[in-house]
Amino acid sequence: MRYLLTFLLVLLSATPVLAGEARPLAQDEAVEQRLINIAQELRCLVCQNESLAGSRAELAEDLRREVREQIRAGKSDQEIKDYLVARYGNFVLYRPPLEGSTVLLWVGPFVLLVGAAAGLLLFVRRRARQSDVPLDAMQREQAEKLLADISAKGPQ
């Protein structure tokens, strides 16, 4: 037990030595804030469903560096996005423009929702019609027998 405690104390005392120096976020805070705003609307090309702002992939670092350089060069947000779209296609945008190739992306969820609602409505109507079908004599006799058996046994 004493060795374990000594080992833990040595390990805990060494953690500040292992910790590295934090990298500076940016030399210009305004540039960094603009970079974050732009990068939140861009998709990481390597990661699945992760924004360029949140990704830790090397390609994302490179793209953030590229965006940072373009901000420093005085380009507008739209010019930067247009540059990235020209280079990587609409895939880099989280909100791609409505075009022929993206119509299904924009309209598809609504079509599925309307289809599901129509299917549910048809199912409910069909189910309601089936419950109105009268029982024939044999079914009525079976139902009455089951009800009599249940009432004879009483609540359980």
Side-chain angles (χ1 to χ4, degrees):
M1 182 70 178
R2 187 186 320 164
Y3 294 116
L4 179 63
L5 190 58
T6 306
F7 175 74
L8 287 176
L9 285 174
V10 169
L11 186 65
L12 287 175
S13 66
T15 52
V17 174
L18 297 176
E21 204 46 52
R23 292 185 346 201
L25 286 178
Q27 295 172 351
D28 187 358
E29 194 170 314
V31 169
E32 198 63 25
Q33 186 60 44
R34 241 184 99 193
L35 167 69
I36 291 171
N37 289 339
I38 294 171
Q40 286 176 341
E41 295 180 19
L42 300 173
R43 180 187 317 268
C44 175
L45 299 173
V46 177
C47 308
Q48 293 287 325
N49 295 328
E50 195 167 3
S51 74
L52 189 62
S55 175
R56 293 179 179 237
E58 286 185 33
L59 181 60
E61 294 265 345
D62 292 342
L63 286 176
R64 284 193 295 264
R65 186 176 318 114
E66 179 70 30
V67 170
R68 195 175 288 124
E69 288 173 7
Q70 291 193 12
I71 290 171
R72 286 187 188 128
K75 292 189 175 181
S76 70
D77 293 0
Q78 191 59 47
E79 287 174 331
I80 294 169
K81 289 177 191 172
D82 290 344
Y83 168 77
L84 291 172
V85 168
R87 196 167 178 185
Y88 300 107
N90 284 331
F91 179 76
V92 77
L93 298 173
Y94 264 121
R95 284 179 272 160
L98 182 60
E99 296 175 345
S101 62
T102 60
V103 166
L104 189 60
L105 180 69
W106 284 100
V107 179
F110 298 109
V111 170
L112 284 175
L113 181 67
V114 169
L120 181 65
L121 183 67
L122 287 174
F123 175 77
V124 168
R125 282 186 174 182
R126 185 173 297 156
R127 186 85 177 189
R129 267 190 242 135
Q130 287 178 350
S131 65
D132 292 340
V133 175
L135 300 175
D136 61 14
M138 190 170 133
Q139 290 173 331
R140 185 179 308 246
E141 185 178 317
Q142 287 177 342
E144 287 174 0
K145 184 178 176 185
L146 285 172
L147 287 172
D149 288 346
I150 290 173
S151 62
K153 290 181 181 176
Q156 296 178 3

